[in-house]
Amino acid sequence: MREMITMVVVLTVLSTISGGLLSGLKNATAARIEVQQLKFVKGPAIKTILEGVTNDPIADRFAIKDGKMERKFFVGKFGDKADTVVLESFGKGYGGDVGLMVAVNVKDDTILGVGVTTHSETPGLGARAKDDPGFVSQFKGMPIKETFKVTNDGGKVNAMSGATITSRAVCSAASDAGMIYINLKPQLEEKLKEFNK
Amino acid sequence: MAKTLTQELTKGLWEEIAPFRLVLGLCPVLGVTTTMENGIGMGLATTFVLVCSNILVASLRNIIPAKVRIACFIIIIATFVVVVELLMQAFTYPLFLKLGVFIPLIVVNCIVLGRAEAYASKNSIVFSIADGLGIGIGFTLSLAALGAIREILGTGKFFGTAVFGPSFEPFTFMVQAPGAFVCLGLMLCLMNLVGSK
């Protein structure tokens, strides 16, 4: 009996310390990790989907409070008109959250392009969502108000073969982005005016 | 079998060099060594986990109950692996992107658990540090050597700069998975040849 108690106590204490340490470290590194992700993953993804942009979307970013969450938006200028916003949303993939950058044209509410950012999908299968531009290019020009679904689920998006779960994750992320966009549109237009001055 | 501290430190460099003598931890050895940079990064991450887990296991060796020791070791190892993962994300993000899933997989690297179970749980802290450091550096050197050979032959480059003239046709087989096996086998053979004399 005594042995049993020691086992439980040691394991519990060890797990607790480990959990505490890790959550502390996660908080401490969160800000730095975000900067790094912006520089190496999100930045390039935004530049790819906003081809021919005339400003630096990473520098021209702003945040809007959406309920408790603070959402970040990136502004894309073409010529001297700031008419594109880029936002990030997430979908549940095979190995965790799949991040998706969605660029929306504010004038006609269509998608200018999407790009996968952070993910932990299987290399060669789900990871193709990021590596192979064919899949994400399907979203180009679609109206943002739509709910995106893969063809298996009765939607319009052709899933990547062998990576249906990742394809679904990208669709649900895109749909989420649409909802966020519609909810915040009035504030977004307000903010964009500042960039058009 | 009392060994001096130096012997403990140097045994991991030749006598018990992990991938070749013990043929352990082959998954990252074969998986990430497409370039020398990847090999060194992976090796150093593993060394950090190895040294830290050895320290903790050695200092807790009288507290951890024998029946749940493996569970305790795994908690300790997993904690340090997540620490490495977070630190790499915060400071060396491009390398983290390249190594990808192999970083969390250090948890199940049998070298780390092997040293905790076979060495650190029976020896003092100082000796365990020496053991972890030795095995870790040996592992790093093996990965670096394998990575260098595969990178030079497979892509004709060394740390990103071309080493051969333009007439060199890259031996792409070497950077693919079968090339890793062949290269490892030849190195093992060579080491046995040298060692048997």
Side-chain angles (χ1 to χ4, degrees), chain A residues 86-103:
Chain A
V86 186
L87 63 152
E88 190 176 28
S89 57
F90 295 92
K92 269 262 168 292
Y94 192 71
D97 280 345
V98 177
L100 189 74
M101 280 290 175
V102 184

Side-chain angles (χ1 to χ4, degrees), chain B:
Chain B
M1 259 251 319
K3 280 184 174 172
T4 65
L5 208 55
T6 351
Q7 277 175 321
E8 289 298 350
L9 193 66
T10 51
K11 70 165 188 237
L13 302 181
W14 181 260
E15 238 176 273
E16 289 182 28
I17 189 161
F20 298 111
R21 290 280 187 242
L22 311 176
V23 202
L24 281 181
L26 287 189
C27 171
V29 170
L30 299 171
V32 302
T33 53
T34 47
T35 65
M36 190 167 169
E37 190 194 350
N38 284 4
I40 294 176
M42 183 70 201
L44 290 181
T46 313
T47 307
F48 173 81
V49 174
L50 200 52
V51 173
C52 293
S53 68
N54 263 10
I55 293 173
L56 217 62
V57 168
S59 50
L60 296 176
R61 69 185 186 280
N62 296 325
I63 305 169
I64 292 173
K67 278 186 185 161
V68 289
R69 64 181 192 285
I70 300 289
C72 292
F73 297 164
I74 286 291
I75 292 175
I76 293 170
I77 294 165
T79 309
F80 285 116
V81 170
V82 181
V83 169
V84 166
E85 202 184 346
L86 287 171
L87 290 179
M88 280 186 96
Q89 283 189 50
F91 297 101
T92 56
Y93 203 78
L95 187 65
F96 170 79
L97 286 180
K98 274 194 229 151
L99 297 179
V101 76
F102 286 100
I103 294 295
L105 279 180
I106 298 175
V107 178
V108 288
N109 189 324
C110 37
I111 298 173
V112 184
L113 183 62
R115 293 331 287 177
E117 162 76 7
Y119 195 90
S121 61
K122 300 183 184 86
N123 289 282
S124 72
I125 299 176
V126 182
F127 275 80
S128 298
I129 294 175
D131 174 77
L133 214 52
I135 297 277
I137 292 170
F139 186 69
T140 310
L141 289 178
S142 322
L143 261 75
L146 199 59
I149 295 172
R150 288 180 68 194
E151 189 180 1
I152 291 171
L153 292 179
T155 62
K157 287 176 183 164
F158 186 62
F159 272 108
T161 42
V163 281
F164 298 111
S167 61
F168 177 73
E169 190 66 42
F171 190 20
T172 36
F173 171 72
M174 290 307 283
V175 283
Q176 286 158 359
F181 277 102
V182 172
C183 190
L184 182 79
L186 289 175
M187 284 176 78
L188 200 62
C189 167
L190 202 69
M191 283 194 67
N192 283 344
L193 259 179
V194 176
S196 66
K197 273 173 193 165

Side-chain angles (χ1 to χ4, degrees), chain A residues 46-192:
Chain A
I46 294 172
K47 293 227 171 84
T48 318
I49 54 179
L50 291 180
E51 220 187 333
V53 74
T54 46
N55 67 331
D56 178 10
I58 317 290
D60 290 340
R61 62 171 193 262
F62 59 87
I64 292 181
K65 273 222 150 69
D66 176 19
K68 280 180 199 156
M69 291 262 297
E70 189 163 80
R71 296 195 188 277
K72 292 199 173 69
F73 294 89
F74 305 89
V75 179
K77 270 190 189 175
F78 291 93
D80 50 2
K81 276 227 147 116
D83 55 2
T84 310
V85 286
V86 186
L87 63 152
E88 190 176 28
S89 57
F90 295 92
K92 269 262 168 292
Y94 192 71
D97 280 345
V98 177
L100 189 74
M101 280 290 175
V102 184
V104 191
N105 188 317
V106 185
K107 260 188 265 151
D108 53 7
D109 295 339
T110 55
I111 294 183
L112 198 71
V114 302
V116 173
T117 52
T118 47
H119 71 90
S120 24
E121 301 304 288
T122 322
L125 292 172
R128 273 180 299 157
K130 186 186 168 93
D131 309 332
D132 168 16
F135 174 69
V136 284
S137 69
Q138 295 181 66
F139 290 89
K140 239 177 235 173
M142 286 195 182
I144 186 77
K145 286 178 178 145
E146 206 159 316
T147 310
F148 300 98
K149 276 182 182 164
V150 293
T151 40
N152 282 358
D153 303 339
K156 285 185 198 160
V157 179
N158 288 319
M160 293 174 289
S161 56
T164 315
I165 297 179
T166 312
S167 308
R168 279 195 186 121
V170 172
C171 286
S172 91
S175 309
D176 269 8
M179 291 210 298
I180 300 167
Y181 171 79
I182 292 162
N183 279 341
L184 297 177
K185 196 175 176 196
Q187 284 144 284
L188 281 174
E189 282 180 322
E190 206 57 39
K191 281 271 185 189
L192 277 184

Side-chain angles (χ1 to χ4, degrees), chain A residues 3 7 10-11 14-15 18 21-22 25-26 32-33 36-37 40-41, chain B residues 60 63 65 67-68 72 75 79 82-83 86 89-91 93-94 97:
Chain A
E3 198 195 349
M7 285 198 290
V10 169
L11 266 178
L14 214 52
S15 314
S18 154
L21 180 84
L22 290 182
L25 190 69
K26 197 173 167 84
R32 256 204 89 94
I33 291 176
Q36 298 264 322
Q37 283 181 343
F40 291 106
V41 181
Chain B
L60 296 176
I63 305 169
K67 278 186 185 161
V68 289
C72 292
I75 292 175
T79 309
V82 181
V83 169
L86 287 171
Q89 283 189 50
F91 297 101
Y93 203 78
L97 286 180

